[in-house]
Amino acid sequence: MKHNKWIAVLSVAGVLALVGIFTALFVKGREKENLIDRMEARNLALKDAGVGEADVVFTEEKLEKENGISLYNISFHNDAYRYEYEIDAETGIVTGMNIEALFETPDTLASEDICADNTAGENTENPAVSAKPEEGIQEPVPENNHIGLAAAKENVLLDAGLEESEVTYIKEKLELEDGIWVYELDFYTSEGEYEYEINAHTGAVISRNMEMFRSSPSDRSADASGAQPSVDVEQAKNIAVSHAGFSESEVTFSKEELDYDDGKAVYEIVFYNGQTEYEYEVDAVTGDILEYESELMD
């Protein structure tokens, strides 16, 4: 009789355990219903990029949590561009993207083809290239058919779908990159940060990077401690590259971004050397390396 009683108790305990397991699975399933699935995230990224699924190759589709927010990281490429998207898994909103040209059009400018007379000439439309070089140094300058800073800004705002009154520029720079004159235009709005590279001759978008703010800091020029960033992006790049044992001429940068990690101002620096990708986080106030990793790409 006592034996049967223990069997009954164990049976009840087993049933209760099964009920608990099924309840947990049900609740977990209900929680997952609040998130969009991987295919939805993929389609949202493709739609934003304006490309078809058959025209690209996917390299990453990952769901992860960042600062308590569920995000899909979707990466893909075609013959012309590499795309990286960050999609909010609850709302489906694009919270970050990075699009880079893999191959530039042949409309480039080699420094050896530039007439020496242009070096000393003034360019009233672009003061950035009219400055006199140091004595004895021959600096290349853009040809006269470059689009100008105002037109570059118009192209950027049109591409981003923004009005000039909505943005604040923090970088406006004309420079020669791999034989191509480009405008580097960085700005922010009340909702996010944008980085653009524009071909100075054709006006085409070479690369764009956008990241939505996940918080609303009242002062984006200082971190939570109130300390002002004293390290600029060029210094941060040099710190990261030197730590990896290279010079800047030996690497290709794919990301240079000032971000706020839990209220702390940090630079996120990503670059390649050969088949290896390096990722660094550099303190924007002290210049200390907070985190770094390297990965051999397939």
Side-chain angles (χ1 to χ4, degrees), residues 15-287:
V15 170
L16 290 174
L18 288 173
V19 169
I21 291 171
F22 282 120
T23 301
L25 290 174
F26 177 77
V27 170
K28 189 174 182 182
R30 294 296 296 176
E31 289 176 351
K32 283 187 176 180
E33 288 179 6
N34 295 327
L35 304 181
I36 63 174
D37 62 28
R38 179 176 58 84
M39 291 305 297
E40 287 179 275
R42 173 190 281 206
N43 290 333
L44 287 168
L46 291 171
K47 182 179 178 181
D48 187 89
V51 296
E53 185 172 353
D55 301 321
V56 302
V57 176
F58 285 88
T59 56
E60 181 182 39
E61 298 173 84
K62 183 167 63 175
L63 176 63
E64 62 182 6
K65 277 209 170 184
E66 192 172 316
N67 296 329
I69 301 173
S70 296
L71 300 168
Y72 279 103
N73 290 320
I74 308 291
S75 300
F76 51 93
H77 68 83
N78 55 23
D79 291 338
Y81 292 94
R82 176 169 58 241
Y83 302 82
E84 297 175 356
Y85 273 85
E86 191 177 77
I87 309 286
D88 189 306
E90 292 186 11
T91 65
I93 293 174
V94 175
T95 59
M97 70 171 176
N98 187 43
I99 303 174
E100 296 182 10
L102 298 178
F103 303 101
E104 183 53 83
T105 58
D107 184 15
T108 60
L109 184 63
S111 59
E112 60 267 22
D113 295 333
I114 299 173
C115 177
D117 293 337
N118 286 341
T119 305
E122 291 189 1
N123 187 324
T124 55
E125 189 175 5
N126 284 277
V129 299
S130 62
K132 229 176 181 179
E134 293 180 23
E135 194 69 24
I137 298 178
Q138 194 74 7
E139 291 285 346
V141 298
E143 294 174 332
N144 293 329
N145 64 348
H146 60 279
I147 64 172
L149 179 60
K153 285 185 174 181
E154 287 180 11
N155 289 0
V156 162
L157 294 174
L158 182 64
D159 185 87
L162 297 168
E163 299 291 335
E164 189 170 359
S165 59
E166 298 178 272
V167 310
T168 299
Y169 287 95
I170 55 178
K171 184 178 183 181
E172 303 170 16
K173 187 176 181 182
L174 176 64
E175 67 178 6
L176 191 64
E177 286 190 3
D178 299 325
I180 304 167
W181 282 101
V182 300
Y183 284 103
E184 293 186 1
L185 299 173
D186 298 353
F187 57 91
Y188 67 85
T189 69
S190 60
E191 296 182 341
E193 296 178 355
Y194 298 76
E195 298 176 0
Y196 273 84
E197 284 192 356
I198 302 291
N199 186 306
H201 299 284
T202 67
V205 175
I206 297 175
S207 69
R208 61 173 73 79
N209 184 60
M210 179 273 287
E211 184 166 352
M212 302 296 289
F213 296 131
R214 296 197 188 98
S215 59
S216 301
S218 57
D219 182 7
R220 280 182 284 277
S221 65
D223 67 9
S225 66
Q228 298 288 336
S230 57
V231 176
D232 64 30
V233 67
E234 293 301 324
Q235 290 172 313
K237 287 164 59 178
N238 185 261
I239 290 169
V241 170
S242 298
H243 182 272
F246 304 112
S247 64
E248 289 195 32
S249 62
E250 296 177 292
V251 305
T252 300
F253 290 95
S254 60
K255 186 176 183 181
E256 311 153 26
E257 186 174 300
L258 177 62
D259 200 0
Y260 291 83
D261 190 357
D262 295 327
K264 187 179 186 67
V266 298
Y267 284 104
E268 295 181 3
I269 309 294
V270 182
F271 55 90
Y272 294 84
N273 176 273
Q275 296 298 310
T276 304
E277 180 187 57
Y278 298 81
E279 297 184 12
Y280 277 79
E281 279 195 3
V282 179
D283 192 306
V285 177
T286 66

